[in-house]
Amino acid sequence: SALGGDVDEVSSSTIIDSSHADEGYADSRRSLLEGAAVVVASSNASAITPTNNDDCINDYLILHNNTLNINLCLALDNSGSVCNRGVSINCADCLPSDRCQDDGFTPGQCCANFERVRTFAADMATRLVDELEDVRGTIGTSIVEFATGASVVSGWTTDVEETVGNLDGLVYTGGFTDHADAIAACQAT
C-alpha cells in the first residue's frame, strides 16, 4: 500500500462525478473511510462544495480505535466532454478554440468547467485534511489526469499544499474518456 505499514490495501474504487457530488459526497466519505480509492471525474461540473457529514466519520473512528488512514486519489477528467459544451468533438489541445475555449481562458485552462473540476478536487483534498487534522492516522493524496489515457501527475503525499499546487498546474488536454485507465492509475499510487 502507498500508505505503508499495516494499512489495508485498496480493495475498491468509487467514482464521484462532481456534477452530482452534492448527492454523492456522504457516500464518497464512507468509501474513503473504508480504505477505498476515490476518483473525482467530471464532464459537467457545477459550482459545488464538499459538504460535512460528521456522523459517518465518528462512527468509523469509534469502530477503529480513533485511527484513520486514507489514500485519496484525485483523477481529473481532461477529456473533450469537459469543455466541448455538448458538441461531439474531443477538444484536443482546446481546439477548435471557437467550440472549446471560453473567453478569458488560455488553451491550457481552456474553459470554466475545467477550472471547476480542479477547484472541486482541491477543495475536497483540503477539507478532508482540515476536518480530520486531530485524528490519528495518515491522510494522503495522489493525482491522476485522464482523457484518452491516464497518467500520474503526483504520487502519494501527505502534503495537501503540494497537492493543491499540482492541481493548479494541470493543463487541459482534451481527448476521449478512459475511466478504466484512470482507476488503474489511481490504484497504482
Side-chain angles (χ1 to χ4, degrees):
S1 168
L3 294 172
D6 59 354
V7 176
D8 292 338
E9 289 295 321
V10 171
S11 59
S12 64
S13 298
T14 301
I15 296 178
I16 304 169
D17 182 335
S18 63
S19 65
H20 302 289
D22 286 334
E23 299 106 27
Y25 189 70
D27 289 337
S28 70
R29 289 175 68 135
R30 189 168 295 107
S31 295
L32 279 171
L33 299 176
E34 294 167 356
V38 173
V39 179
V40 176
S42 177
S43 60
N44 296 306
S46 58
I48 55 172
T49 304
T51 58
N52 191 5
N53 182 352
D54 289 334
D55 291 341
C56 179
I57 293 173
N58 291 335
D59 291 348
Y60 181 89
L61 292 174
I62 290 167
L63 291 172
H64 293 86
N65 300 321
N66 205 35
T67 301
L68 183 63
N69 294 303
I70 296 175
N71 178 3
L72 173 65
C73 180
L74 301 163
L76 279 78
D77 187 353
N78 275 340
S79 71
S81 60
V82 172
C83 290
N84 72 8
R85 299 182 195 116
V87 178
S88 186
I89 54 177
N90 72 11
C91 291
D93 298 322
C94 199
L95 296 172
S97 60
D98 63 326
R99 297 278 188 170
C100 302
Q101 189 172 343
D102 287 345
D103 290 338
F105 287 87
T106 66
Q109 298 166 317
C110 197
C111 69
N113 198 36
F114 183 62
E115 289 302 307
R116 284 191 292 271
V117 170
R118 292 191 321 183
T119 299
F120 173 80
D123 288 349
M124 183 177 228
T126 301
R127 290 195 66 185
L128 182 69
V129 170
D130 289 348
E131 289 179 21
L132 302 175
E133 70 181 339
D134 295 329
V135 176
R136 285 184 303 162
T138 305
I139 301 169
T141 58
S142 56
I143 302 170
V144 167
E145 62 182 346
F146 70 98
T148 304
S151 62
V152 175
V153 173
S154 169
W156 188 82
T157 180
T158 58
D159 184 347
V160 73
E161 290 176 16
E162 178 183 338
T163 297
V164 170
N166 286 328
L167 288 167
D168 287 342
L170 286 179
V171 174
Y172 179 79
T173 61
F176 299 102
T177 307
D178 191 342
H179 286 115
D181 239 13
I183 291 169
C186 276
Q187 290 176 330
T189 60

